[in-house]
Amino acid sequence: MIATGKYQALIPKEFSANLKFRVAVLKEASTNKNFCHGLIDMCRRDCLFFISLFVWQHNPDHIGNEVGPFITYPFQDDAIATLINCIWKRKDNRWPKSREMGATWCFLMVDDWLCRFHENKDVITMSRDESSVDTPGDRSSLFGKLDFIQNHLPVWMDGCDSQNIKRTKLKIQYLRTKSVNIGTSSTEKTGVGKRASHMPIDEFGQFD
C-alpha cells in the first residue's frame, strides 16, 4: 500500500494544465482498455495520482465554480501520506483542523481509495450524529461527499456502476474488492466489538 509514489509527479498542479491532462487521459481511456487497466494499477499504487487525476470536489463557497478538480496542496500531500502510513502501521493520527483546509475531503478520498483499490478493507466513518454522516441528497454530509466523488469517476473505474458499487443508507460496498465503508454516529460505545482497517472520526471536537 503506497500513499505517494512516482506516478503523482506526472500530474500537473496548475489548474488549466491539470484539466487538459485529465481530458487527454480520459480521451485515451475511452478507447483503450489496456490503458484503463494500467491507470487502475497506478491509482492502486499511488493515492495522490488517483486524487490528482480523477477526483472532483464540490465547494459551495466558490460561487459560479462550485465543482472543480481536486488539486492538492503540498501540506495536503503530506497529510495524506502520513494518514496512509498510519493506517498501514496501525497507528493513530490527529489533524488540527480549520475551515477551508480540505481535511474532511482528504480523509474521505483516502476512504474511497482504500476500499476501491484494495481488497477486504473495512472502514468505519464517524461523525457527531447520523445526519452528518449520511443524509440523502446532502453533499455536506460525509457520505454525500463520497457519493460526489463516486459519481464523477469514469464508469470503467466503477463510477456510477451499481454492479460493482452497492450503496445503501450508511453503507458503501465495493463488490469488486470486497471492501466496505460503514457510517456511524458517535456514542459512548461506538466501535466496541468492531475492528477496522481505518476509522476516521470527523468533528471530534463536537463529541461529548
Side-chain angles (χ1 to χ4, degrees), residues 22 46-55 70 72 80 109:
R22 289 177 181 233
D46 190 338
C47 182
L48 289 174
F49 177 82
F50 166 64
I51 293 169
S52 298
L53 187 56
F54 292 109
V55 174
F70 202 107
T72 54
I80 289 169
M109 291 185 295

Side-chain angles (χ1 to χ4, degrees), residues 26-174:
L26 289 174
K27 183 177 180 180
E28 177 65 24
S30 67
T31 58
N32 188 335
K33 289 186 177 180
N34 288 333
F35 188 66
C36 294
H37 294 322
L39 288 171
I40 289 173
D41 186 61
M42 293 167 78
C43 288
R44 180 180 63 82
R45 294 171 179 270
D46 190 338
C47 182
L48 289 174
F49 177 82
F50 166 64
I51 293 169
S52 298
L53 187 56
F54 292 109
V55 174
W56 291 74
Q57 67 171 330
H58 177 268
N59 188 337
D61 287 336
H62 294 171
I63 303 300
N65 294 288
E66 289 85 354
V67 176
F70 202 107
I71 303 172
T72 54
Y73 295 108
F75 75 88
Q76 293 171 326
D77 294 344
D78 292 341
I80 289 169
T82 299
L83 175 58
I84 295 177
N85 188 55
C86 288
I87 294 170
W88 185 245
K89 294 184 176 180
R90 316 308 296 145
K91 294 182 179 294
D92 293 337
N93 184 39
R94 183 180 65 183
W95 290 347
K97 178 184 175 183
S98 61
R99 300 288 293 177
E100 292 298 311
M101 293 293 102
T104 300
W105 279 95
C106 284
F107 80 69
L108 289 172
M109 291 185 295
V110 171
D111 277 7
D112 186 75
W113 171 80
L114 189 66
C115 292
R116 184 176 302 281
F117 299 109
H118 302 87
E119 294 184 350
N120 301 309
K121 297 297 179 284
D122 293 277
V123 174
I124 299 174
T125 300
M126 190 186 311
S127 193
R128 63 185 183 275
D129 53 44
E130 184 176 300
S131 64
S132 298
V133 179
D134 190 8
T135 298
D138 183 359
R139 286 186 292 240
S140 67
S141 69
L142 299 182
F143 273 46
K145 289 181 171 67
L146 284 168
D147 288 339
F148 187 87
I149 292 171
Q150 171 73 26
N151 291 335
H152 286 76
L153 293 175
V155 173
W156 49 263
M157 194 182 282
D158 299 340
C160 304
D161 188 345
S162 60
Q163 293 183 349
N164 288 315
I165 304 293
K166 183 178 180 180
R167 176 70 161 91
T168 52
K169 178 70 172 178
L170 295 169
K171 181 186 290 187
I172 304 174
Q173 293 174 270
Y174 297 76

